[in-house]
């Protein structure tokens, strides 16, 4: 596997998507407050001929500027992203034969379920008027809008890892590593943009724990000599 260069490649994808044409007319009003957002991301700004799942995920990973609603977007991106990791970890608990993988899966579930609970509490306390739908920054339109259900699902970055065969742990590692790298990208973005100490502390914890798990998975991949 390649060293962690995910941040540069991810934002390269985001900017490449943002540069493509075929976008509906953009709102001239810049940043919209959370309570004024009512249109799902699929209603406007669609790019003809593109896979909306991939497009939506890339847009969701761009958390936008350090404005009054930045923390709302961070929370709404990290919750489904954590949920995706939990889904794969639960699958690993059922299918992996390695105690190391089962222990990792247990740690992921415990830690990320705890963080989801904290993120939901902050959202309710800080943005009581935001509504139930998660929000995302639309880089092409230059403002915030509701995530579509497809975009929320894409944000999970989860996948069916297949049968409990000899290649299962390889597939888990190859799915969970970039998934963790995505969380690190968002956490680093939050460290530089959020003004809330609670978000900064969470971001530092995510970076430390998930980078540690990334390195562990890479070591296992090498020591177990499982190759694609």
């Amino acid at each position: 596997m390649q060293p962690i260069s995910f941040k540069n490649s991810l934002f390269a994808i985001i900017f490449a998507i943002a540069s493509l044409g075929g976008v509906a007319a953009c709102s001239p009003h810049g940043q919209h407050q959370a309570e004024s957002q009512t249109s799902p991301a699929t209603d406007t700004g669609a790019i003809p001929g593109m896979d909306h799942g991939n497009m939506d995920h890339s847009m969701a990973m761009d958390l936008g500027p350090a404005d009054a609603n930045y923390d709302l977007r961070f929370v709404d991106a990290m919750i489904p992203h954590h949920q995706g990791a939990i889904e794969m970890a639960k699958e690993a608990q059922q299918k992996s034969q390695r105690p190391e993988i089962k222990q990792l899966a247990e740690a992921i579930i415990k830690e990320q379920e705890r963080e989801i609970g904290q993120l939901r509490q902050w959202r309710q306390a800080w943005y009581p008027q935001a509504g139930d739908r998660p929000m995302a920054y639309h880089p092409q339109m230059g403002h915030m809008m509701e995530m579509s259900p497809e975009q929320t699902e894409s944000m999970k970055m989860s996948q069916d890892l297949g049968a409990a065969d000899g290649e299962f742990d390889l597939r888990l590692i190859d799915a969970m590593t970039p998934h963790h790298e995505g969380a690190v990208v968002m956490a680093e973005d939050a460290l530089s943009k959020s003004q809330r100490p609670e978000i900064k502390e969470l971001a530092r914890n995510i970076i430390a724990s998930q980078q540690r798990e990334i390195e562990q998975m890479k070591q296992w991949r090498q020591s177990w000599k499982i190759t694609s």
Side-chain angles (χ1 to χ4, degrees):
M1 299 181 68
Q2 297 297 319
I4 300 176
S5 58
F6 186 76
K7 183 174 183 179
N8 291 338
S9 61
L10 173 62
F11 285 109
I13 292 171
I14 291 169
F15 293 139
I17 290 173
S19 68
L20 294 174
V23 183
C26 298
S27 167
H29 299 298
Q31 302 305 316
H32 289 199
Q33 294 300 310
E35 58 269 21
S36 68
Q37 304 307 311
T38 57
S39 301
T42 50
D43 288 347
T44 56
I47 302 177
M50 291 195 67
D51 179 84
H52 285 197
N54 292 336
M55 178 191 71
D56 286 344
H57 177 69
S58 297
M59 289 194 300
M61 294 291 285
D62 182 355
L63 300 176
D67 59 16
N69 290 313
Y70 175 84
D71 293 323
L72 173 62
R73 296 190 298 272
F74 173 78
V75 166
D76 284 352
M78 194 61 78
I79 287 175
H81 195 73
H82 273 11
Q83 288 171 336
I86 290 169
E87 288 176 6
M88 290 191 290
K90 288 182 177 179
E91 189 174 356
Q93 284 185 322
Q94 296 297 318
K95 296 180 179 179
S96 178
Q97 301 302 311
R98 287 186 167 95
E100 300 97 325
I101 292 291
K102 289 181 179 290
Q103 184 177 4
L104 172 65
E106 181 180 0
I108 289 171
I109 293 166
K110 180 179 180 180
E111 180 67 12
Q112 299 199 24
E113 282 184 343
R114 183 188 64 79
E115 290 176 351
I116 286 172
Q118 183 65 80
L119 288 163
R120 285 175 171 162
Q121 289 177 17
W122 289 340
R123 191 186 198 277
Q124 179 61 35
W126 297 341
Y127 300 98
Q129 305 302 318
D132 295 333
R133 292 288 296 274
M135 306 301 295
Y137 182 73
H138 197 303
Q140 295 162 324
M141 300 188 72
H143 62 75
M144 187 171 71
M145 59 201 317
E146 290 180 359
M147 287 189 193
S148 68
E150 295 79 11
Q151 186 179 4
T152 304
E153 187 66 26
S154 179
M155 195 64 212
K156 291 182 177 181
M157 282 183 69
S158 58
Q159 57 184 283
D160 182 353
L161 299 173
D165 56 21
E167 299 297 311
F168 177 83
D169 292 332
L170 170 65
R171 294 192 296 272
L172 173 71
I173 289 171
D174 285 353
M176 194 67 79
T177 298
H179 191 283
H180 274 21
E181 288 171 344
V184 170
V185 168
M186 289 191 289
E188 289 177 342
D189 194 60
L191 273 181
S192 67
K193 293 179 182 176
S194 178
Q195 301 302 311
R196 286 188 166 96
E198 301 96 326
I199 291 290
K200 288 181 177 291
E201 181 180 2
L202 174 64
R204 283 190 289 268
N205 290 339
I206 288 172
I207 293 167
S209 64
Q210 299 207 24
Q211 282 185 335
R212 182 172 62 250
E213 290 172 354
I214 288 167
E215 291 307 313
Q216 181 64 80
M217 287 188 287
K218 288 180 176 180
Q219 290 173 19
W220 286 338
R221 199 183 201 277
Q222 177 62 29
S223 63
W224 295 338
K225 303 298 182 185
I226 51 178
T227 57
S228 56

